[in-house]
Amino acid sequence: MIPAEAHGTIALRASACTSCMICVRECPTWCIELDSHTEQVSDPGARRPKTVNVLDAFRIDFGLCMYCGICVDLCPFDALAWSPEHDHAATTAAGLVQGITELQTAWPPTGPPTDN
Amino acid sequence: MTSQGRIDVAPADWEQVVSGLQREGFVLFDFITAVDRGARLEVVARVINPATRVPVMVWTTLPADAAELSSLSGIYLGATWCEREAAEMFGVRFIGLGDSRPLLLRASLGEPPMRKSSALVARAIRDWPGAAQSTDDGRQGANPSRRRQLPPGVPEGFLRDNPLDSDVSGDVR
């Protein structure tokens, strides 16, 4: 039995990610890579178009990850979370690198039980 | 004196204070290690009174560039290993330590690796994923004057002062 709050893998919600790079910079093993670009978005009624980040790629190399969870703790937008999914087996080291598609399949995470 | 389980002593009183604790019943030596505070290096020893199970930590502060302290190996023989480790990891010179051979590291390693001034070479020769600039800085357009960020553990100018062979990075990748 794998408990629902198990730290099996790290799940990504790409729609919540603002490409702020905090997880990439704080990761002790440098296992996260992130590519992004900016786009101008014009809101109706706004005086100027605003610049928004668009996430192009997000990769976690689970061959390097030590499951410390610092990225999960530090993400200001809750775009990363623990998930009880745990299927990381691969036949090559490169197969342990997961992109947005794989990381999103673990979302929504079940998460730890609340006290109340 | 030991209400918080902590005693702060001057380096000159280090050996005398610990020796006094041993006479009071703190006969079990636990460990000695150090903490790098930049310009200062703090050294801490933990001893325990087995009868009361009360532990005491004795702290002292040394200048980082002249870290010398009396050895406790004459009081607790087991302190020898911890002092050898603190010597090679933090660069503390223990005066009176009989066996000063490196315990875990090569003698030729150079700078003590647990000092914060010691560069993490594996980080210097790999491209840091975090070096890519976030565009989320609240400003319009690119800002090329923004200073490039260095990864934690690589001092500024390290690569300039220590040019690495190009084939070294090939091995590590």
Side-chain angles (χ1 to χ4, degrees):
Chain A
M1 273 291 284
I2 296 172
E5 66 272 25
H7 290 183
T9 190
I10 292 163
L12 171 74
R13 183 170 49 163
S15 60
C17 176
T18 65
S19 313
C20 72
M21 299 287 288
I22 287 175
C23 55
V24 180
R25 296 213 172 105
E26 297 301 325
C27 174
T29 65
W30 295 13
C31 73
I32 306 177
E33 286 183 22
L34 189 157
D35 298 326
S36 66
H37 70 277
T38 56
E39 280 179 8
Q40 304 283 323
V41 176
S42 299
D43 283 336
R47 287 194 299 176
R48 290 182 302 186
K50 64 178 181 183
T51 308
V52 295
N53 289 324
V54 179
L55 185 67
D56 294 324
F58 190 100
R59 290 178 293 274
I60 298 182
D61 185 345
F62 285 104
L64 295 174
C65 177
M66 61 178 184
Y67 299 83
C68 66
I70 288 174
C71 55
V72 175
D73 285 351
L74 289 176
C75 179
F77 305 101
D78 290 341
L80 293 168
W82 284 113
S83 163
E85 302 290 327
H86 60 281
D87 52 344
H88 285 158
T91 52
T92 61
L96 293 168
V97 181
Q98 296 195 350
I100 292 176
T101 314
E102 296 97 320
L103 293 169
Q104 286 206 122
T105 56
W107 198 280
T110 317
T114 52
D115 290 334
N116 43 16
Chain B
M1 165 175 94
T2 63
S3 57
Q4 305 295 317
R6 173 181 177 130
I7 313 174
D8 288 277
V9 301
D13 302 331
W14 175 255
E15 195 177 0
Q16 190 198 334
V17 167
V18 177
S19 177
L21 284 168
Q22 192 200 35
R23 282 194 300 275
E24 287 175 30
F26 292 85
V27 294
L28 181 61
F29 171 82
D30 193 355
F31 65 78
I32 287 181
T33 190
V35 183
D36 185 351
R37 302 285 187 200
R40 296 170 295 114
L41 196 70
E42 296 179 0
V43 180
V44 54
R46 188 175 190 265
V47 293
I48 301 165
N49 184 334
T52 60
R53 302 188 181 185
V54 172
V56 170
M57 290 174 83
V58 189
W59 291 79
T60 191
T61 304
L62 306 171
D65 51 357
E68 292 188 345
L69 196 62
S70 303
S71 170
L72 301 181
S73 57
I75 306 169
Y76 304 99
L77 191 57
T80 308
W81 280 42
C82 289
E83 290 184 350
R84 283 169 66 189
E85 191 179 352
E88 65 185 351
M89 293 291 186
F90 288 95
V92 185
R93 202 169 79 80
F94 288 98
I95 299 157
L97 177 61
D99 186 351
S100 57
R101 290 173 297 154
L103 182 64
L104 303 167
L105 306 175
R106 287 198 317 273
S108 60
L109 191 66
E111 187 163 17
M114 295 296 278
R115 288 282 187 103
K116 284 172 184 162
S117 54
S118 169
L120 302 176
V121 180
R123 291 191 156 198
I125 61 179
R126 217 197 108 181
D127 290 334
W128 185 34
Q133 284 297 327
S134 164
T135 41
D136 185 24
D137 58 2
R139 279 172 284 196
Q140 302 271 331
N143 185 356
S145 67
R146 221 166 150 204
R147 198 169 66 86
R148 187 178 156 267
Q149 292 200 26
L150 284 168
V154 181
E156 187 102 37
F158 173 78
L159 280 181
R160 186 190 61 227
D161 302 336
N162 301 272
L164 299 157
D165 294 336
S166 55
D167 58 355
V168 173
S169 61
D171 288 342
V172 171
R173 269 168 187 277

